[in-house]
Amino acid sequence: MGPSEQDGDAFGSDSRRQCVFSVPWPVGCQRAVFALYCEQMDKNKVLIVEDDKNLLDALGYNLAREGYAVVTAGDGSRALQVARAEKPDLVILDIMLPGLSGLEVCRILRAETATPILMLTAKSEEIDKVMGLGLGADDYITKPFSLKELLARVAAQLRRVEMTRQEILARQEEKKDRLTCADLTLDLTRHEVRKNGELLDLTRREFELLAFLCHNPGQVFSRDVLLERVWGYDFAGDTRTVDVHIRWLRQKVEDDPENPRRIITVRGFGYKFEG
């Protein structure tokens, strides 16, 4: 059996470490852990930075068993190298590290990435907690700690990251569905146009013509091209259809249709949109 933690046991406790973590891993267990690491490469990746080899191995084993891809580092300099190369989704960072301290690693990582950082601190080192949070750590856990608490905090941080990602994706999708040109906002999904927030009453063809022009601000299009791109190749009408729809559009989107500022006539060629 690998160095997993039972209910009520504590990680980071010297006495506990002596009676559990001092026993070398069986070869079969080492192979099992390696297999787990390989299988979880497409899952959330956690970087564990801890100079205590037994504790590092135990945390890595249990996190891999929970379905995380795990990468590790035993000192601060190596932690920065691994973080930059592996781009983990979360960093578990011990404060007391040889060479480059955990606090300094935290400061550097926070300047480079928004990856959540969970710091491991000793119970008596409250000043380190304050400094760590001040340098950009997202959470901390004091030694000795239970596996359940660590897993809960890891899951909470990754859940927050995923929610943030989903919100960003939703905003990006919303932007794809919306087109803003000066004081006009086109909802490409609902086929709606608002001017300064007020809904305009456009026909389907007027909307399509306006959307095409807005997608290509400043570009001049001939009447023939507009017929082809908006009405389609098989449209049987003539170019006067474009002029009529441009006139109707101006009446709805221009402040002064007789002196248009958005849909501009380029004499001898066609029309362009100035957003």
Side-chain angles (χ1 to χ4, degrees), residues 63-137:
L63 284 167
R65 192 177 64 174
E66 290 294 316
Y68 298 107
V70 178
V71 290
T72 63
D75 60 65
S77 298
R78 179 61 180 161
L80 293 176
Q81 294 174 6
V82 175
R84 289 162 180 162
E86 296 289 341
K87 295 179 173 40
D89 299 292
L90 180 137
V91 178
I92 298 176
L93 177 63
D94 188 21
I95 285 184
M96 301 299 293
L97 294 172
L100 201 63
S101 73
L103 291 173
E104 183 64 11
V105 172
C106 178
R107 184 189 67 79
I108 295 172
L109 286 180
R110 185 50 70 236
E112 298 178 358
T113 177
T115 300
I117 300 173
L118 173 60
M119 302 206 76
L120 305 181
T121 70
K123 188 175 246 183
S124 60
E125 297 169 342
E126 185 172 355
I127 184 64
D128 287 339
K129 300 175 191 174
V130 175
M131 291 181 65
L133 293 173
L135 289 172

Side-chain angles (χ1 to χ4, degrees), residues 53-265:
K53 181 71 164 56
N54 289 328
L55 181 56
L56 179 65
D57 288 345
L59 292 175
Y61 173 83
N62 282 282
L63 284 167
R65 192 177 64 174
E66 290 294 316
Y68 298 107
V70 178
V71 290
T72 63
D75 60 65
S77 298
R78 179 61 180 161
L80 293 176
Q81 294 174 6
V82 175
R84 289 162 180 162
E86 296 289 341
K87 295 179 173 40
D89 299 292
L90 180 137
V91 178
I92 298 176
L93 177 63
D94 188 21
I95 285 184
M96 301 299 293
L97 294 172
L100 201 63
S101 73
L103 291 173
E104 183 64 11
V105 172
C106 178
R107 184 189 67 79
I108 295 172
L109 286 180
R110 185 50 70 236
E112 298 178 358
T113 177
T115 300
I117 300 173
L118 173 60
M119 302 206 76
L120 305 181
T121 70
K123 188 175 246 183
S124 60
E125 297 169 342
E126 185 172 355
I127 184 64
D128 287 339
K129 300 175 191 174
V130 175
M131 291 181 65
L133 293 173
L135 289 172
D138 297 270
D139 197 3
Y140 67 86
I141 187 169
T142 57
K143 298 178 182 179
F145 52 84
S146 71
L147 176 62
K148 284 185 177 181
E149 181 183 5
L150 176 72
L151 292 177
R153 290 179 182 272
V154 168
Q157 288 299 323
L158 290 173
R159 204 162 43 239
R160 179 182 61 81
V161 170
E162 182 59 26
M163 289 175 63
T164 301
R165 286 175 181 167
Q166 292 301 324
E167 289 172 0
I168 292 173
L169 288 174
R171 286 197 293 268
Q172 290 175 342
E173 287 300 317
E174 185 176 342
K175 287 181 180 179
K176 289 180 183 178
D177 294 336
R178 291 181 181 274
L179 186 61
T180 300
C181 308
D183 56 356
L184 298 176
T185 302
L186 285 71
D187 188 322
L188 304 179
T189 301
R190 297 183 178 181
H191 278 221
E192 293 179 349
V193 179
R194 294 180 182 273
K195 178 180 177 182
N196 293 323
E198 183 178 348
L199 184 64
L200 302 181
D201 184 18
L202 269 62
T203 66
R204 180 176 65 87
R205 194 68 74 187
E206 289 169 353
F207 177 88
E208 292 171 351
L209 177 58
L210 180 62
F212 178 77
L213 292 171
C214 286
H215 268 299
N216 302 277
Q219 187 172 345
V220 181
F221 294 97
S222 68
R223 293 167 176 82
D224 288 328
V225 169
L226 289 174
L227 270 179
E228 178 182 299
R229 299 298 296 275
V230 178
W231 276 262
Y233 292 100
D234 56 351
F235 181 69
D238 58 32
T239 56
R240 286 176 297 180
T241 299
V242 175
D243 297 329
V244 170
H245 281 78
I246 289 290
R247 184 172 71 250
W248 290 344
L249 260 182
R250 283 173 172 166
Q251 292 172 355
K252 296 176 181 180
V253 305
E254 297 284 0
D255 295 326
D256 181 359
E258 298 301 321
N259 298 285
R261 294 184 300 104
R262 298 177 183 84
I263 304 174
I264 308 299
T265 300

